[in-house]
Structure formats: structure tokens, C-alpha cells
């Protein structure tokens, strides 16, 4: 995620207020809330795009071996987006070991899968921070979520993840001309 100059100014002000509590002006509070909403929207869109990518990956994996090139490309994109390969990915890559790209991805995915197992085991042993202490809920002198007036819900309802066929509909072939036997003979 990249921030523009104005967004960085607002973020810097919010961090200064969090580190050095002082009354915040109404303008600062509104700008911080607007920035928080923009960041939340970007995070939701990122999650939606990731879900779309993973759904595509599942479809391509199900159509293997006919979709080898597409599957390997999508798997690389998913790994770059933070996807942890699962047992299905490892099994598919083992079946495609004859392909040099698949063999290299198999080594990378094994390493990532092993690291994922280690991370989950380590997370179980770490003490957890309560959710109420993990986030900044309000700015000093500003409005908390409970103090804000309730407005209408989101302008658009949550959208389902579209399938590739919905995003890129297949091209329609022109209709075949009628066969010569079906033509009317004038006489």
C-alpha cells in the first residue's frame, strides 16, 4: 500500500497524537477517520482480490495437467501475495515434477509449508495480546467508535467474488449459415 503526501501528513499527525496525547482539533479527527476508512477499504479490497486469486488457483489446480502453465503462473502470484501452499499445492507440484518450473516451485513451496508449520507451533506457545490492546481505538480528544453518530451502512453491499467467466466472458462465435438443403428453392 502506498500513501500520498497528504495521507502521510495525516498519518504522521495521528502518530504524534498517539505518542504525545493532547487535544485534537475536529479537522485532525475527521482526517484521521477518513484515512482509517481508506485504509480499511484498501484492506478489504486486498482481501477480496486475494480470495479471487486463490479461487482461480483452485480452479486451475482442478484442471491439471491441461492448465500447467496457467497454474504455475497463478501459484507464483499467490505465493508473492503471501499464500502458504497447502497439501493440494504440494501434491499438484509433485505430479508436475517433470516441468523445470514446477520442480523449482515444489522446492520453494516445501520450504514455505515447513515454515508455516513452525510459525503455527510457535504461535501456540506465545502469549496472546487481547484484541482490545492490539489496536488504537480512538485519538485523544477525538471520537471513539461508540461516540460517532450512526450513519447509513456501506453504500454498496459486500460483493461476491466473480468467477473468471464473469470477468472475461467467452467470445461468441458467429452463427453458421444455413445448409444448402435448407434453403428455399424459388421456381
Amino acid at each position: 500500500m502506498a500513501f500520498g503526501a497528504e495521507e502521510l501528513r495525516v498519518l504522521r499527525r495521528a502518530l504524534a497524537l498517539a505518542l504525545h496525547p493532547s487535544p485534537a482539533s475536529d479537522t485532525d479527527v475527521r482526517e484521521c477517520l477518513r484515512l482509517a476508512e481508506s485504509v480499511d477499504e484498501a484492506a478489504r479490497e486486498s482481501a477480496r482480490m486475494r480470495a479471487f486469486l486463490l479461487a482461480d488457483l483452485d480452479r486451475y489446480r482442478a484442471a491439471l495437467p491441461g492448465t500447467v502453465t496457467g497454474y504455475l503462473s497463478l501459484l507464483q502470484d499467490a505465493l508473492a501475495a503471501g499464500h502458504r501452499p497447502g497439501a493440494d499445492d504440494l501434491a499438484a507440484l509433485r505430479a508436475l515434477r517433470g516441468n523445470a518450473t514446477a520442480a523449482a516451485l515444489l522446492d520453494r513451496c516445501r520450504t514455505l509449508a515447513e515454515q508455516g508449520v513452525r510459525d503455527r507451533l510457535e504461535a501456540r506457545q506465545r502469549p496472546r495480546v487481547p484484541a482490545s490492546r492490539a489496536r488504537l481505538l480512538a485519538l485523544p480528544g477525538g471520537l471513539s467508535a461508540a461516540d460517532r453518530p450512526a450513519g447509513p451502512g456501506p453504500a454498496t453491499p459486500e460483493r461476491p467474488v466473480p468467477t473468471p467467466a464473469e470477468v472475461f466472458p467467452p467470445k461468441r462465435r458467429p452463427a453458421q449459415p444455413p445448409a444448402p438443403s435448407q434453403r428455399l428453392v424459388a421456381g
Side-chain angles (χ1 to χ4, degrees):
M1 180 182 298
F3 290 108
E6 183 64 21
E7 293 166 324
L8 285 175
R9 184 192 66 74
V10 172
L11 184 60
R12 184 177 180 166
R13 179 71 179 134
L15 290 173
L17 287 169
L19 293 173
H20 306 289
S22 64
S25 70
D26 288 343
T27 304
D28 284 342
V29 171
R30 278 193 300 276
E31 288 177 348
C32 289
L33 291 173
R34 205 172 312 122
L35 179 63
E37 289 169 0
S38 296
V39 169
D40 288 344
E41 177 63 28
R44 284 190 297 273
E45 183 65 16
S46 174
R48 194 179 78 72
M49 292 302 292
R50 186 169 188 267
F52 181 75
L53 176 65
L54 294 179
D56 258 1
L57 185 64
D58 288 342
R59 284 187 208 86
Y60 274 76
R61 186 185 319 110
L64 285 173
T67 58
V68 173
T69 307
Y71 172 72
L72 296 176
S73 174
L74 280 173
L75 182 57
Q76 288 174 336
D77 291 346
L79 293 174
H83 171 65
R84 293 291 183 160
D88 292 341
D89 294 314
L90 294 172
L93 289 171
R94 278 189 214 101
L96 301 171
R97 257 186 285 215
N99 182 312
T101 305
L105 271 174
L106 177 60
D107 291 339
R108 181 176 173 198
C109 286
R110 279 183 182 153
T111 303
L112 289 172
E114 289 170 4
Q115 183 62 44
V117 169
R118 281 191 213 105
D119 290 346
R120 285 191 299 275
L121 288 173
E122 184 180 308
R124 287 183 186 168
Q125 295 172 354
R126 264 187 265 139
R128 296 185 183 169
V129 176
S132 63
R133 295 184 187 162
R135 299 179 6 189
L136 177 64
L137 297 178
L139 296 172
L143 298 174
S144 69
D147 296 335
R148 275 190 244 148
T156 58
E158 292 294 324
R159 299 178 292 190
V161 177
T163 63
E166 293 170 337
V167 176
F168 307 105
K171 293 181 181 175
R172 303 285 180 211
R173 294 190 180 123
Q176 295 288 338
S181 63
Q182 294 177 351
R183 292 186 188 156
L184 294 176
V185 178

